[in-house]
């Protein structure tokens, strides 16, 4: 079923009785050409691009919960292409271009809104760093404008510009950046993959990976064994756990990142605003809630909720930048498990086991990466060689120390620096 305005109008007038389930609920087959472990944004996009770009449709996505139950439905939805170093820069640039056509391609409203991202700076040194980053973004073909203090005041009049500790000096404005509705991205890719023949198997936890003579042959699951010619591990925060099922040790630590949503307010914040010095970022959802977050909790964990000290820190940082938001009530908060690499950049690579692949290490920035990650992972699995824009993102850089991509020179944990 294709969605269109006429259909919505007709259903609205006739009691919404003829909407069909958005995807099938198939029984798992005994064998697939490709098994993807993890039905988050990256797993679903990989399945979609395997079918769409490479004609590989005998594919199963195995998800232990329900589609959208992981980080893809838990993030603060910021989409941007303001990375700087070679490797990351071209990858995220490719991803943003895919975002710009995603909704029409998937025939799904993901509420992608290019409302602009403004990264604030608070000293002359930081202005230099922002100018440098902006120039690198422009030379990659993306957009950046360096705003002075008055330029920021015009866009964000509600900030406390004279904060004693971090007065606002200006901001780097990335107009094509913005946000989207997170779970709609999962649903859009899921529906499109299903329509191309991919089996989405929910409530199917992978419990083991079968390997014979160094080659993967399938997986053990809570619904029984399933054979697979190629297997992809795309499980974000659970990467170390699932890799260990194949005897692999991967350079990933799992940490919690929290998000917060306020009660619905009238439109007040028209951009995505980031306050790096306070570890705070904020935007306003289309329903009116202020959506905001900060940095990682202080300890590695597999729980999906955060601790109180970080909650307090985020509220303090928010109020020091925008005192007015202290009047809003926080309605909800949650945590997600982040797959942190030592250099803060991701991995899309083969593993030591033949025909077993991994897509992981998205840290706290993998939502914006979903389209390009799926595109590149599908390319790797279909062609058995890395895609041009992800060729630097291998395991090797952690084995050898050569080619590390530490975007912010802070490693995986901002809060330890
Ligand atoms: C609070 C928060 C804020 C964030 N903000 C942003 C942001 O603003 N912008 C941005 O770009 N990124 C952001 N991120 C990061 C982004 O959400 C993640 O990097 C990205 O969603 C991870 O990829 P995924 O969608 O595939 O992960 P997930 O949705 O977590 O998918 C992995 C799936 O694997 C499944 N799985 C795990 N183990 C198994 C198993 N054994 N068998 C079967 N299935 C299994 C899980 O159930 C899960 O559904 C944020 C994350 C959080 C938590």
């Amino acid at each position: 079923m294709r969605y269109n305005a006429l259909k919505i109008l007709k259903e609205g007038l006739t009691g919404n009785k003829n909407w069909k389930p958005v995807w099938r609920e198939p029984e798992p087959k005994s064998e697939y050409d490709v098994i993807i472990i993890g039905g988050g944004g990256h797993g679903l996009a990989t399945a979609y691009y395997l079918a769409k770009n490479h004609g590989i449709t005998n594919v199963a996505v195995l998800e232990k919960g329900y589609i959208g139950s992981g980080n893809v439905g838990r993030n603060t939805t910021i989409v941007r292409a303001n990375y700087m170093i070679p490797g990351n820069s071209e990858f995220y640039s490719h991803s943003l271009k895919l975002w710009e056509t995603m909704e029409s391609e998937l025939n799904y409203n993901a509420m992608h809104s290019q409302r602009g991202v403004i990264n604030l700076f608070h000293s002359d040194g930081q202005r230099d760093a922002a100018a440098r980053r902006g120039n690198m973004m422009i030379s990659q073909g993306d957009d950046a404008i360096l705003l002075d203090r008055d330029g920021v005041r015009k866009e964000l009049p509600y900030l406390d510009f004279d904060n004693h500790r971090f007065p606002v000096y200006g901001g780097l404005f990335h107009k094509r950046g913005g946000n989207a509705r997170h779970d709609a991205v999962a649903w859009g890719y899921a529906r499109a993959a299903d329509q191309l023949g991919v089996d989405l198997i929910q409530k199917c936890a992978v419990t083991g990976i079968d390997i014979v003579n160094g080659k993967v042959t399938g997986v053990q699951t809570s619904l029984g064994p399933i054979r697979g010619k190629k297997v992809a591990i795309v499980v974000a925060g659970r990467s170390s756990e699932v890799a260990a099922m194949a005897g692999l040790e991967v350079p990933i630590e799992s940490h919690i990142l929290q998000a917060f949503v306020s009660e619905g307010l009238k439109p007040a914040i028209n951009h995505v605003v980031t306050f790096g010095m306070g570890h705070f970022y904020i935007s306003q959802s289309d329903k009116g809630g202020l959506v905001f977050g900060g940095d990682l909790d202080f300890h590695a964990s597999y729980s999906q909720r955060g601790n109180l000290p970080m909650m307090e820190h985020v509220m303090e940082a928010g109020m020091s930048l925008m005192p007015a938001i202290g009047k809003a009530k926080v309605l909800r908060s949650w945590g997600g498990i982040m797959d942190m690499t030592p250099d803060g950049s991701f991995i899309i690579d083969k593993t030591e086991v033949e025909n077993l692949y991994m897509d992981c290490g998205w840290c706290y920035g993998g939502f914006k990466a979903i389209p390009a990650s799926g595109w590149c992972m599908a390319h790797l699995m279909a062609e058995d060689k890395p895609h041009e824009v992800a060729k630097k993102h291998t395991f090797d850089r952690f084995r050898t120390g050569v080619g590390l991509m530490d975007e912010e020179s802070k490693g995986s944990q901002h809060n330890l620096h």
Side-chain angles (χ1 to χ4, degrees):
M1 176 180 26
R2 279 192 71 77
Y3 295 142
N4 57 52
L6 200 63
K7 173 87 182 149
I8 293 169
L9 189 67
K10 190 171 156 217
E11 286 301 324
L13 294 173
T14 55
N16 285 307
K17 295 202 178 89
N18 292 308
W19 295 113
K20 305 261 180 327
V22 169
W23 55 78
R24 298 166 295 129
E25 294 276 355
E27 289 298 317
K29 294 189 243 173
S30 57
E31 182 170 359
Y32 290 92
D33 291 338
V34 173
I35 291 174
I36 295 169
I37 310 172
H42 294 250
L44 294 165
T46 302
Y48 170 72
Y49 290 118
L50 273 171
K52 165 89 192 329
N53 293 357
H54 305 280
I56 300 172
T57 55
N58 186 21
V59 176
V61 176
L62 309 182
E63 167 53 49
K64 74 172 176 178
Y66 57 89
I67 297 294
S69 56
N71 289 340
V72 69
R74 291 171 177 268
N75 60 76
T76 42
T77 79
I78 304 172
V79 175
R80 57 189 163 88
N82 59 356
Y83 284 68
M84 191 172 75
I85 60 174
N88 286 340
S89 183
E90 53 268 42
F91 177 86
Y92 286 100
S93 184
H94 180 55
S95 204
L96 186 54
K97 288 189 194 98
L98 292 174
W99 272 100
E100 286 168 338
T101 53
M102 175 209 287
E103 291 171 298
S104 55
E105 181 175 335
L106 301 182
N107 179 231
Y108 206 89
N109 180 8
M111 298 166 82
H112 179 215
S113 157
Q114 292 185 295
R115 59 186 65 184
V117 174
I118 300 182
N119 300 130
L120 299 171
F121 51 82
H122 312 271
S123 68
D124 291 333
Q126 277 199 316
R127 180 189 293 113
D128 289 350
R132 180 165 177 251
R133 180 173 289 269
N135 285 332
M136 306 276 278
M137 288 159 65
I138 290 167
S139 39
Q140 178 57 46
D142 295 311
D143 67 285
I145 300 172
L146 194 69
L147 299 178
D148 61 11
R149 187 176 158 95
D150 286 342
V152 175
R153 201 186 286 278
K154 218 169 125 201
E155 301 291 340
L156 317 174
Y158 46 81
L159 299 185
D160 177 3
F161 282 79
D162 298 312
N163 180 296
H164 285 294
R165 192 154 174 228
F166 298 118
V168 176
Y169 274 45
L172 189 63
F173 192 8
H174 172 39
K175 283 196 170 177
R176 282 167 63 232
N179 53 11
R181 174 159 178 189
H182 45 20
D183 34 23
V185 175
W187 299 334
Y189 272 113
R191 171 172 170 270
D194 172 86
Q195 285 175 346
L196 293 174
V198 170
D199 282 358
L200 307 177
I201 321 278
Q202 302 184 80
K203 299 195 184 117
C204 176
V206 170
T207 52
I209 296 181
D210 299 330
I211 299 165
V212 177
N213 296 331
K215 189 171 175 177
V216 76
T217 56
V219 294
Q220 298 293 321
T221 80
S222 51
L223 301 180
I226 306 177
R227 289 195 304 280
K229 295 189 180 112
K230 292 187 174 183
V231 174
I233 302 175
V234 195
V235 294
R238 298 278 174 180
S239 293
S240 308
E241 193 183 79
V242 177
M245 295 177 193
L248 302 172
E249 201 178 340
V250 289
I252 303 245
E253 268 189 29
S254 293
H255 286 261
I256 301 306
L257 184 67
Q258 302 192 55
F260 307 91
V261 177
S262 78
E263 61 189 323
L265 304 170
K266 285 188 178 170
I269 296 180
N270 301 327
H271 308 78
V272 178
V273 184
T274 78
F275 172 35
M277 293 312 291
H279 298 307
F280 176 80
Y281 44 88
I282 188 164
S283 63
Q284 188 167 14
S285 80
D286 290 359
K287 278 197 291 184
L290 303 180
V291 180
F292 55 99
D295 219 308
L296 299 176
D297 279 15
F298 299 117
H299 55 92
S301 167
Y302 282 118
S303 72
Q304 287 186 312
R305 59 182 182 178
N307 66 29
L308 288 171
M310 184 49 69
M311 195 179 279
E312 188 176 11
H313 173 89
V314 170
M315 305 299 156
E316 275 177 10
M319 283 192 57
S320 73
L321 183 70
M322 307 176 181
I325 66 170
K327 290 189 179 158
K329 293 186 181 66
V330 174
L331 287 193
R332 293 184 289 138
S333 75
W334 61 84
I337 315 167
M338 318 308 308
D339 36 331
M340 307 301 295
T341 54
D343 67 357
S345 293
F346 65 89
I347 298 162
I348 295 182
D349 202 3
K350 300 177 187 182
T351 70
E352 291 145 35
V353 178
E354 201 179 332
N355 291 342
L356 180 65
Y357 303 79
M358 272 195 90
D359 172 308
C360 59
W362 293 101
C363 302
Y364 21 57
F367 179 65
K368 71 181 88 64
I370 285 172
S373 163
W375 186 284
C376 295
M377 185 65 171
H379 180 97
L380 174 70
M381 296 189 77
E383 312 269 327
D384 232 26
K385 56 178 190 232
H387 188 278
E388 189 56 26
V389 299
K391 65 179 183 214
K392 294 185 190 229
H393 295 87
T394 61
F395 282 109
D396 247 5
R397 69 185 197 271
F398 301 110
R399 287 193 196 101
T400 61
V402 177
L404 292 172
M405 280 176 282
D406 198 343
E407 182 78 24
E408 298 176 82
S409 313
K410 285 173 180 164
S412 63
Q413 283 196 64
H414 285 194
N415 55 17
L416 295 184
H417 295 266

